[in-house]
Amino acid sequence: MYTPNTKVGQQYMIKLRYLIEETYELNGNSRVVLVAHSMGNPVTVQFLKTMSEGWKEKYIEGYVALAGVFGGAAKAIRSLLSGETEGMPQIIVDPLTMREFERTSPSVYWLLPNPQLFGDTPFVLANGRNYSAQDYKTLFEEVKIPQGPAMYDFIKDLPQFDKDIGVDVYCIHGKEQDTPFQFEYGDNSKFPDNQPTTLNGDGDGTVNIQSLELCKQFTTLKDYKTVTGFLATHLEILQRKDVIQYIADLLTKKNLERRGEVGREGELVF
């Protein structure tokens, strides 16, 4: 996937604006509720930050953030070092083959854990060294990712999150799922070509809880929900009937408000 600061990403932003305006007009000048999942959330944040307050007031009714990667995900580090197959068996998909593609994708670098959020927390433990989010460029140079430093420089000033986006936000994410957090390579001359031992932390199975919970910092946050247990992982949340019903109820409530049939104090049940 391309990041918003690439040519393709900028073209996407233009098309998204036209789609929203067209949807508004085709539905009797009814404001639009945006629904984003995963990396779609930092893209949506970037989009909304580029639009004027007047445009958002006219066209946007609200924004539902599902499983937002607002501060990156540790899995992105493993992708760049040793390859990420997203659960597919290595006998079918070679992680080192995937790694060649992932190292050329701006979006993987954009999804690296944010240094301001994670500080000096070590993510990679290899050959007696610990590497944190403060050490990306050093790590890329030491493991010989030639394009790594330049790719990181290209995206490091592109925010994944901004608390002031000027629209109502409704946030939902999973938690209490084993989520990759640290990667132990041990003392191994094959590093980073060997697969690490993965140490898990809290999150939705893909995105770490620190990143997901940034959603609570939106200044215009109207509702915040978390889910656990069955169908609470990063992708499975899209299958949850209660989440789907919540979004449907939100749209119904907004439509009723526009017609003056319900007060804004009405509470959504989850």
Side-chain angles (χ1 to χ4, degrees):
M1 182 176 177
Y2 294 92
T3 51
N5 59 341
T6 62
K7 182 177 180 180
V8 173
Q10 291 167 358
Q11 291 172 341
Y12 171 81
M13 295 292 194
I14 294 171
K15 292 179 180 179
L16 179 57
R17 173 178 178 168
Y18 288 154
L19 176 62
I20 291 170
E21 292 174 352
E22 180 183 43
T23 302
Y24 169 89
E25 293 169 1
L26 290 175
N27 289 275
N29 295 345
S30 295
R31 298 200 301 173
V32 173
V33 175
L34 302 175
V35 180
H37 174 258
S38 190
M39 189 177 173
N41 286 285
V43 171
T44 299
V45 167
Q46 283 292 311
F47 172 76
L48 292 171
K49 287 298 293 183
T50 66
M51 306 309 296
S52 69
E53 294 303 314
W55 186 92
K56 288 181 282 191
E57 176 63 28
K58 179 176 180 179
Y59 291 106
I60 304 299
E61 183 68 32
Y63 156 43
V64 180
L66 291 174
V69 196
F70 291 115
K75 282 179 67 173
I77 301 175
R78 187 174 63 191
S79 296
L80 294 173
L81 293 181
S82 306
E84 176 61 53
T85 64
E86 295 296 341
M88 292 183 286
Q90 293 184 21
I91 194 172
I92 298 175
V93 180
D94 180 6
L96 298 186
T97 299
M98 291 296 297
R99 181 180 71 178
E100 294 308 305
F101 161 73
E102 290 158 348
R103 287 182 174 183
T104 64
S105 175
S107 62
V108 177
Y109 294 86
W110 197 31
L111 291 177
L112 289 168
N114 189 304
Q116 293 182 331
L117 177 62
F118 288 94
D120 294 324
T121 301
F123 287 108
V124 178
L125 301 85
N127 295 327
R129 290 282 308 275
N130 293 341
Y131 300 88
S132 73
Q134 310 291 336
D135 303 316
Y136 290 138
K137 294 178 74 172
T138 299
L139 178 60
F140 297 153
E141 290 168 356
E142 291 185 0
V143 301
K144 297 180 173 56
I145 305 178
Q147 68 273 44
M151 293 284 277
Y152 182 66
D153 281 341
F154 180 70
I155 58 83
K156 66 182 177 66
D157 295 322
L158 183 66
Q160 301 158 321
F161 177 79
D162 192 306
K163 65 181 182 179
D164 297 311
I165 58 173
V167 303
D168 290 349
V169 180
Y170 302 81
C171 182
I172 309 172
H173 67 76
K175 64 177 183 178
E176 298 176 9
Q177 310 296 309
D178 286 342
T179 304
F181 188 58
Q182 294 175 311
F183 309 102
E184 288 187 344
Y185 287 86
D187 295 326
N188 195 314
S189 61
K190 294 183 179 180
F191 171 69
D193 296 339
N194 59 311
Q195 293 300 308
T197 298
T198 298
L199 306 179
N200 292 318
D202 192 7
D204 69 0
T206 295
V207 184
N208 308 101
I209 193 68
Q210 298 92 331
S211 180
L212 293 163
E213 288 186 340
L214 278 177
C215 196
K216 294 191 287 189
Q217 296 185 23
F218 280 116
T219 57
T220 50
L221 183 66
K222 296 300 180 183
D223 202 4
Y224 176 78
K225 307 288 188 185
T226 60
V227 296
T228 59
F230 184 62
L231 296 181
T233 65
H234 191 66
L235 291 178
E236 290 173 343
I237 195 171
L238 298 172
Q239 304 174 43
R240 288 184 66 110
K241 292 183 179 179
D242 52 358
V243 170
I244 295 170
Q245 189 61 53
Y246 176 90
I247 296 172
D249 290 346
L250 174 63
L251 295 174
T252 299
K253 179 175 181 285
K254 292 294 185 182
N255 284 329
L256 291 173
E257 286 176 353
R258 279 193 289 268
R259 298 201 298 264
E261 298 177 21
V262 64
R264 288 191 175 272
E265 70 280 358
E267 182 179 355
L268 291 161
V269 177
F270 190 77

